[in-house]
Amino acid sequence: MAENFPVKPKLRPTSSKITPTPEAKYWKSFKIPKDIETTPTKSFTFPINSIAFSPIDPHDFAATHSASISIFSGKTLEPKSTISDFSSTAASASFRCDGKLLAAGDLKGTVHVFDAKSRSHLRRLKGHAAAVRSVCYPHAADKLHLFSGGDDSVVKYWDVTTEKCLFNLLGHKDYVRCGDASPISDEMFVSGSYDHRVRVWDVRVSKSGSVMELNHEKPVESVIYLPSGGLIATAGGNFVKIWDVIGGGKLLHSMESHNKTVTALCMSKIAQGSGGEESEQYRILSVALDGYMKVFDYAKFKITHSMRFPEPLLSVGFSPDCYTRVVGTSKGNLYIGRRKGKVESEIVGGGSQWKIVDDDPSRKVLRPSYFRYFQRGQNLKPSDGDYLIKRPKKVKLAEFDKLLKKFRHKEALVAALKRRNPENVVAVMEELVARKKLMRCISNLDTEELGLLLAFLQKYSTMPRYAGLLTRLANKAVELRADDIRTSDQLRNHIRNLKRDVEEEIRIQQSLLEIQGIISPMLKIAARR
C-alpha cells in the first residue's frame, strides 16, 4: 500500500524592501529644485568651511571658501553676490539677528564686518595674534557686540561700533575653533578648543573666567546651544555629546555613530501640527569626514536618519523656515536641498506621528493633453532674483514708412509732403536719393502734387539745415517740369515766391559777409593789444 506524504506549503519570498519611516521620508524630501536641476551642486575651488543662514526671510545663506564669502538667495538658491575683501582665507560667517550685517574671520587674525546687502566693508576688528576660526553674533536682540575665538587661545568680546575689544576671556590652552551664542541671553556664549575643553562664558562676570568647563576628551570641532538654552551639544573626534548646563555640566548622552571626525553641528526643526495646534521637534544635524550626515533626536537619544555624500563634509546649515538644507564639502561643493510640501501629524495608536503631504493634493498633474499645460506660468509674477526679458514693443510705422517698405516711392513722397514735417520729408528724399528714385518720382507727380513739392521747397530751401539738399532739388525740379510750370498759374506763383525768397536770402548773406569784413580787422587789432 502506497504511503501518503504530507505536502509542504510553498513559502512565499518575503520582500527585501525596507519601508522607510516617516522621518526618513521627511529628510529624503529635501531635493534639488527643478529650476536648478541641471546644476545639482554649486562648485568652488576651495573647501566650504562654514555655512550661515540669515534669520530674516527669505533666509539667504552665506558660504565661506578661500578668501571669499558667497551669498546665495533663499528663494532661487542661486548666488546673489560675493564678498572678496579678505587678504587670506575666510572662516566662520555669522549674520546679525536682523540679517543686515555679516561678520567673518580670517587667518590673519582680523574680524571683518560687512553690510550683507551692499557688501560694504564696515569694520575691521583687529586684536587676535593668530587666525580667527570662530565668529558669532548674539542670537537675541543685541546688535552692537559679537565674540570671536582664535588660534591664539583667546576669546574676545567686541564692541562693533567702536571696533574695541571689551573683554579678553582667557582660559583655553589651545586653538579655539568653534563657539555659539546662547539663544536666551545676550551675555552668555560657549567656546570649544583643541585642548578638549568647552567653556561657558558670561560677560557679566568676565573677570572670574569661565562660569563652566566641560571636558569633551577630544579636540572640539563644533559646539552649539540647543534651543532651550540649558543644553549644549559638542562635537570632536567621532562622537557628539549632549551636556546639561543647568544641571552643572552633567553629561547626558554620547553619540558615537560616525567613523571619522565630526566637523560641524547645526540645529534643525520639524514643524508639526496636532489637533490644530503647532509644535516643533528639534533635531541635531552632524556631518563628518566619513561623508555622512546624521540626524539625531536628542529627546530620545537616538539616530533617526543617515545620509551619505560622496565627499568629506566640513559644514552644514539648515534654514529657520525648515525648507532648505545646505552641506559643504572639502572639495568645494555645496549640496543644496529644498523641501516641497507640508508636514502634518496624524494620531496613530494614541501617539502623534507626522507625515509628508503635498502642498495641494487635489491638484492634478499637468500633462500635454491638458490645455492648462500650455498656459502654465503665464500669470506668475517675477521674484527678486529673476532675470526679466521684456517683450519688445511693436513700433508703429508712419504711412510713408509703410509705403517705402512696399517700394511705392511716389506715394511715400506725397504722404510725407502732406504731413508737412520737414524732418520726415527730407528723410524720405534722402532715402529716395539712396535708391536713385527721387527724380523719377518728381517726374511722375501731377499738378496738385507738384504744387505741394514747390510749396515745401519755397518754405524750407533757405533754411541752412536743409539748404544743401533742397536748393539742388529745386533747380532739378524746375528744369524737369518747366513745361508744366508754364501752363499753370498756381505753379508759376510758387516759382515766383521761391525766387523772391532765394534773392532775399542772398541779400542777407551778402550783408553778413560785409559785416564780417568790417569786424574781422577790428578783431585782429584787438587781439594784438
Side-chain angles (χ1 to χ4, degrees):
M1 185 175 178
E3 295 183 3
N4 294 327
F5 296 96
V7 179
K8 294 182 179 180
K10 294 182 179 180
L11 299 177
R12 294 182 179 180
T14 58
S15 176
S16 60
K17 294 183 179 179
I18 300 175
T19 304
T21 63
E23 182 150 356
K25 292 180 181 178
Y26 173 81
W27 293 109
K28 288 181 180 179
S29 67
F30 286 85
K31 297 180 180 179
I32 302 165
K34 291 184 178 180
D35 53 351
I36 61 168
E37 207 165 40
T38 55
T39 55
T41 61
K42 305 297 180 185
S43 297
F44 299 98
T45 307
F46 297 92
I48 311 295
N49 54 51
S50 74
I51 295 170
F53 273 89
S54 171
I56 305 301
D57 189 71
H59 304 297
D60 297 342
F61 62 92
T64 58
H65 55 93
S66 182
S68 303
I69 300 178
S70 294
I71 301 177
F72 291 78
S73 170
K75 289 184 178 180
T76 64
L77 305 183
E78 294 292 339
K80 288 178 59 177
S81 58
T82 300
I83 300 174
S84 302
D85 291 352
F86 294 90
S87 57
S88 61
T89 302
S92 186
S94 176
F95 280 95
R96 199 171 70 174
C97 59
D98 58 0
K100 294 182 178 180
L101 298 186
L102 176 65
D106 65 15
L107 298 191
K108 289 192 174 182
T110 305
V111 179
H112 304 263
V113 181
F114 303 93
D115 187 314
K117 186 175 182 180
S118 65
R119 299 178 297 166
S120 301
H121 206 150
L122 303 180
R123 295 288 187 273
R124 287 182 175 87
L125 310 180
K126 298 181 179 180
H128 283 281
V132 178
R133 301 278 188 175
S134 175
V135 176
C136 189
Y137 268 107
H139 294 317
D142 187 0
K143 299 180 181 180
L144 304 178
H145 304 94
L146 60 80
F147 72 89
S148 62
D151 287 355
D152 54 1
S153 307
V154 180
V155 178
K156 292 181 178 288
Y157 187 71
W158 299 90
D159 184 346
V160 179
T161 55
T162 61
E163 300 185 26
K164 292 183 179 180
C165 176
L166 300 181
F167 302 110
N168 286 318
L169 306 176
L170 306 177
H172 287 295
K173 299 178 181 179
D174 207 337
Y175 300 156
V176 179
R177 289 299 176 94
C178 55
D180 193 21
S182 171
I184 59 175
S185 174
D186 289 335
E187 291 83 12
M188 295 187 66
F189 51 91
V190 62
S191 62
S193 171
Y194 275 11
D195 61 1
H196 303 185
R197 297 297 189 270
V198 176
R199 294 181 180 271
V200 181
W201 307 92
D202 189 339
V203 295
R204 294 169 292 188
V205 290
S206 59
K207 295 182 179 180
S208 61
S210 61
V211 296
M212 186 175 295
E213 179 181 341
L214 309 173
N215 184 7
H216 185 78
E217 299 178 352
K218 290 286 184 180
V220 182
E221 298 286 350
S222 182
V223 57
I224 58 172
Y225 265 101
L226 302 190
S228 64
L231 301 179
I232 289 176
T234 60
N238 63 339
F239 50 84
V240 178
K241 292 185 176 182
I242 308 296
W243 306 85
D244 185 359
V245 179
I246 297 178
K250 179 182 178 182
L251 177 62
L252 299 180
H253 183 74
S254 179
M255 176 187 67
E256 301 181 14
S257 62
H258 289 281
N259 296 322
K260 293 185 179 180
T261 302
V262 181
T263 53
L265 301 175
C266 84
M267 287 303 304
S268 63
K269 61 183 178 180
I270 304 168
Q272 178 185 5
S274 178
E277 298 180 358
E278 290 191 357
S279 61
E280 293 176 343
Q281 293 185 0
Y282 288 93
R283 300 288 187 268
I284 297 175
L285 302 184
S286 64
V287 295
L289 296 179
D290 57 5
Y292 278 93
M293 184 190 78
K294 305 283 186 177
V295 182
F296 180 65
D297 184 356
Y298 62 89
K300 299 178 181 179
F301 297 130
K302 68 175 184 179
I303 300 293
T304 57
H305 185 66
S306 179
M307 186 175 293
R308 178 77 167 91
F309 290 87
E311 301 167 11
L313 307 181
L314 295 183
S315 53
V316 61
F318 196 81
S319 64
D321 60 0
C322 310
Y323 273 87
T324 307
R325 181 222 65 218
V326 184
V327 177
T329 72
S330 62
K331 295 185 179 180
N333 291 326
L334 275 178
Y335 289 89
I336 304 174
R338 170 165 286 177
R339 177 175 64 86
K340 272 194 173 183
K342 300 177 182 177
V343 182
E344 292 184 355
S345 66
E346 56 183 358
I347 306 301
V348 179
S352 177
Q353 186 179 17
W354 43 271
K355 61 179 182 178
I356 306 299
V357 297
D358 293 333
D359 288 335
D360 189 2
S362 62
R363 186 176 180 180
K364 295 181 179 179
V365 178
L366 288 180
R367 295 185 178 89
S369 58
Y370 292 94
F371 176 73
R372 284 194 298 114
Y373 177 85
F374 301 97
Q375 301 293 322
R376 65 192 189 281
Q378 293 190 3
N379 297 325
L380 292 178
K381 294 182 179 180
S383 58
D384 295 337
D386 290 339
Y387 180 77
L388 297 181
I389 301 177
K390 295 183 179 180
R391 181 177 296 176
K393 294 183 179 180
K394 188 175 181 180
V395 180
K396 189 175 181 180
L397 296 177
E399 184 181 357
F400 54 83
D401 284 325
K402 296 178 182 178
L403 294 171
L404 284 174
K405 292 181 71 174
K406 297 177 181 179
F407 300 97
R408 296 166 61 180
H409 302 120
K410 173 193 165 184
E411 290 87 343
L413 178 60
V414 174
L417 289 170
K418 288 181 178 179
R419 297 192 65 173
R420 299 180 181 179
N421 187 331
E423 293 182 355
N424 293 339
V425 175
V426 173
V428 172
M429 289 179 176
E430 290 176 345
E431 178 64 22
L432 294 177
V433 170
R435 298 186 185 188
K436 299 181 180 180
K437 299 293 182 181
L438 181 58
M439 301 313 299
R440 180 176 295 182
C441 292
I442 293 175
S443 63
N444 293 332
L445 295 175
D446 57 23
T447 304
E448 184 179 355
E449 295 167 349
L450 184 59
L452 289 174
L453 176 62
L454 294 178
F456 177 80
L457 294 175
Q458 172 200 342
K459 188 173 183 180
Y460 295 104
S461 292
T462 56
M463 293 183 64
R465 185 176 180 182
Y466 311 116
L469 173 65
L470 297 185
T471 52
R472 294 195 301 270
L473 179 61
N475 292 329
K476 294 286 186 180
V478 171
E479 293 176 2
L480 188 63
R481 303 297 297 271
D483 296 337
D484 297 325
I485 293 172
R486 292 191 190 97
T487 58
S488 173
D489 295 336
Q490 184 180 3
L491 296 180
R492 285 202 303 272
N493 289 334
H494 285 306
I495 295 298
R496 192 180 300 112
N497 294 335
L498 176 61
K499 182 180 179 182
R500 185 183 67 250
D501 292 343
V502 171
E503 291 175 350
E504 180 66 24
E505 182 66 23
I506 291 173
R507 284 196 297 271
I508 293 173
Q509 293 295 331
Q510 289 176 349
S511 300
L512 292 175
L513 289 174
E514 291 175 359
I515 295 172
Q516 183 180 1
I518 296 172
I519 294 176
S520 295
M522 298 174 64
L523 292 176
K524 290 182 180 179
I525 295 172
R528 291 175 184 175
R529 293 181 181 179

